[in-house]
Structures are given as C-alpha cells and as structure tokens.
Amino acid sequence: MGEQTGVTFPQEVIDEYAALGVDLPALFSAGHLGTRMGVQILEASAERVVGTMPVEGNTQPYGLLHGGASAVLAETLGSIGSMLHGGSARIAVGVDLNCTHHRGVRSGLVTGVATPVHRGRSTATYEIVITDEQDRRVCSARLTCLLREVGTEQALTEAAGEAKDGPAR
C-alpha cells in the first residue's frame, strides 16, 4: 500500500477511527494502483479531497496523459470523500464514473480536487476537477458511490482488505 505523507484529516474523524484501532491514513490511501501511478493524497475530508499524480509514467502512446489515468485519480479522490462522508460503519462502492477530457498534458503534475455534489444517507456524488500546473482544466469527472451500511466490524474488515488494493469500488 502506498504510504501517504502530508494527508490532512479532520481531528474528529481521526479520533473516531483511532478508537476502533484503525490507521486512517492507510485505510484511505490510494492503494496499490494509486502507488504505481504516483497518486499522492494531500488533503482529505468529506467536504474536499485533494490529490496529485505525475503525468510521466501515465501516458498513452501519443505521449499525452492517459484518460484512464485521469479516471483513476478522479475515482480515488471521490471514493475517499464518499468513505469519509459515510463514516466508519459504511463502505463506499462506486456505481457511476464519467470523465470529460478537455486538454492534453505531456508533462508535469496534475492536481485533482473532489467536492461533494450530493451527500445523502445511501449515495454520495462528487465532482472532481483535474488541472495542470498552469491551473488549466484537464478533466471534469463525476463519481457516485453507493454507501453500504454494514456492521462496524464487518465494514472495517472489508475496508481494511480493500485498502490493500485501493478505495472501495
């Protein structure tokens, strides 16, 4: 699992998970796929999730940032926001992701910012805006997650297992 540095979680969320014996930064990391792609989570709360990803190593044959790489960043950020919104007794499962690619990027770092569009009891929808280093929009995405209510012990066991492989999907 990718080790995240500099992640900011609200203290009450850290305390909630710590009381259950859960390492929150590990639980909400970008997982193995995110690690391979260089995803770094910089800030995380139910209101806003910020992460970066290098273009290098994530390009398609023409040398441009791969649209699938943008989708991975978007789903990672939206899933983290959904999980934080759902709390420790729910698992966020992605049910819809759409991405519109606005411009190509050949180098540097892209930054994604996920903000909620809807946060309900059973679903959460996040808009994710990915920009280049000149703050130009590269991709607009929207992710909707189903929030599955399960027993706290089962939810944490499942989430911990998924944390090894990435956010719930």
Side-chain angles (χ1 to χ4, degrees):
M1 177 172 347
E3 189 165 320
Q4 304 298 314
T5 57
V7 179
T8 304
F9 292 100
Q11 189 60 48
E12 63 273 11
V13 175
I14 292 172
D15 294 344
E16 174 187 355
Y17 284 87
L20 299 169
V22 175
D23 177 0
L24 188 65
L27 182 63
F28 293 108
S29 77
H32 291 297
L33 177 60
T35 298
R36 281 194 305 273
M37 297 183 75
V39 172
Q40 291 293 310
I41 307 303
L42 305 178
E43 175 185 334
S45 72
E47 291 77 32
R48 178 178 155 97
V49 182
V50 179
T52 61
M53 180 180 66
V55 173
E56 184 177 344
N58 294 314
T59 58
Q60 38 88 315
Y62 297 116
L64 299 170
L65 178 64
H66 195 291
S70 293
V72 167
L73 179 60
E75 184 154 356
T76 298
L77 301 178
S79 292
I80 290 170
S82 296
M83 290 289 287
L84 288 169
H85 166 65
S88 60
R90 292 186 183 156
I91 299 295
V93 180
V95 294
D96 182 64
L97 172 67
N98 73 57
C99 300
T100 301
H101 307 287
H102 304 291
R103 70 172 50 246
V105 181
R106 292 187 179 277
S107 64
L109 200 65
V110 292
T111 300
V113 178
T115 54
V117 174
H118 167 78
R119 289 186 295 166
R121 283 186 322 221
S122 60
T123 62
T125 300
Y126 281 76
E127 175 186 40
I128 303 93
V129 175
I130 300 173
T131 56
D132 64 14
E133 291 178 320
Q134 288 74 44
D135 205 30
R136 297 177 297 191
R137 191 178 287 228
V138 172
C139 176
S140 298
R142 189 184 69 239
L143 173 71
T144 298
C145 289
L146 175 66
L147 301 174
R148 269 189 12 202
E149 289 192 33
V150 294
T152 302
E153 185 175 322
Q154 181 183 354
L156 292 173
T157 300
E158 288 180 20
E162 290 177 357
K164 294 176 188 173
D165 300 319
R169 167 69 204 213

